[in-house]
Amino acid sequence: MSVNHPESLIPAPEELLVQRLRDRDEAAMTVFYDKYSAALYGVILRIVKKEEIAEDVLQESLVKIWHSFPSYDASKGRLFTWVVNVCRNLAIDKIRSRQYRVGSRTQPLEDSAAVRQAAPTGFQPDHIGLQEITKKLNPEQKQVIDLLYFGGFTQSEVADELNLPLGTVKTRARAAIKVLAKLVR
């Protein structure tokens, strides 16, 4: 025989917050922000790796949470779990975006080590001729090498860009480097 205790009838703080958010109580969003924003920011920052971008993604996440809150189903999980997934998905979408990938490959010249270090006086990049040598590769290998070494792509980004399996990109890069090594000798 169970006895109903008055405490069991009092909603938990999270349940109250959920109800207030369902009722579109804007003050509840401030409570939500105070309670969860630091943890959500940490999750986002681990994914995007840049504070400025993490702040933007957090802002986008909060807007999305507010607008999509009616879709939250407490029976499927806790509020925190749901909002972490919203933030995580937006952060992953951000790093998969072309704008992010291009921006992460380039950095302002003033942040570059090249500015702080003078090139040797006899250095002539045109005389290296590496791009000229790559023309002797087969087209598939050349495409991979051009993206990796001249385009600044990672192997994973090359795989995405060319819609190839990562293993294929690695194999082509390895084969191309062997050919280039023979050509340079």
Side-chain angles (χ1 to χ4, degrees):
M1 175 189 273
S2 67
V3 177
N4 284 338
H5 293 288
E7 307 88 49
S8 65
L9 301 176
I10 299 171
E14 185 173 289
E15 290 171 353
L16 286 174
L17 181 58
V18 167
Q19 188 54 54
R20 288 178 64 196
L21 289 168
R22 283 197 196 288
D23 294 341
R24 312 308 285 161
D25 178 352
E26 291 179 15
M29 196 62 186
T30 303
V31 172
F32 172 87
Y33 180 85
D34 292 343
K35 185 172 183 173
Y36 295 116
S37 65
L40 297 175
Y41 176 80
V43 168
I44 294 166
L45 184 60
R46 277 194 296 272
I47 295 169
V48 300
K49 308 275 192 270
K50 294 180 181 172
E51 290 181 5
E52 180 180 298
I53 293 171
E55 291 168 4
D56 289 345
V57 172
L58 177 61
Q59 184 66 35
E60 290 172 34
S61 298
L62 293 171
V63 170
K64 182 167 184 157
I65 289 164
W66 176 255
H67 288 296
S68 62
F69 201 81
S71 70
Y72 168 63
D73 183 354
S75 70
K76 291 184 179 178
R78 293 189 52 223
L79 175 62
F80 183 72
T81 306
W82 182 72
V83 296
V84 163
N85 282 325
V86 170
C87 293
R88 187 179 65 76
N89 291 339
L90 283 174
I92 290 169
D93 289 348
K94 177 62 85 176
I95 64 172
R96 286 181 178 164
S97 73
R98 184 168 185 82
Q99 176 188 8
Y100 178 86
R101 290 193 333 251
V102 169
S104 66
R105 282 196 303 273
T106 59
Q107 62 180 0
L109 195 53
E110 59 272 6
D111 295 344
S112 168
V115 170
R116 295 185 295 274
Q117 188 175 34
T121 54
F123 178 70
Q124 297 280 323
D126 298 337
H127 294 168
I128 292 176
L130 191 56
Q131 275 190 306
E132 193 63 36
I133 293 171
T134 63
K135 291 179 181 174
K136 296 178 182 174
L137 295 171
N138 75 41
E140 292 173 342
Q141 292 172 339
K142 182 178 180 338
Q143 188 178 35
V144 168
I145 292 299
D146 285 349
L147 290 173
L148 284 172
Y149 295 98
F150 304 117
F153 285 63
T154 65
Q155 289 180 333
S156 297
E157 290 170 338
V158 171
D160 290 343
E161 185 74 20
L162 300 178
N163 199 21
L164 293 171
L166 181 58
T168 301
V169 170
K170 289 181 177 188
T171 300
R172 288 181 186 175
R174 216 175 5 260
I177 289 170
K178 285 181 183 177
V179 171
L180 290 172
K182 288 178 185 173
L183 291 171
V184 172
R185 286 186 195 142

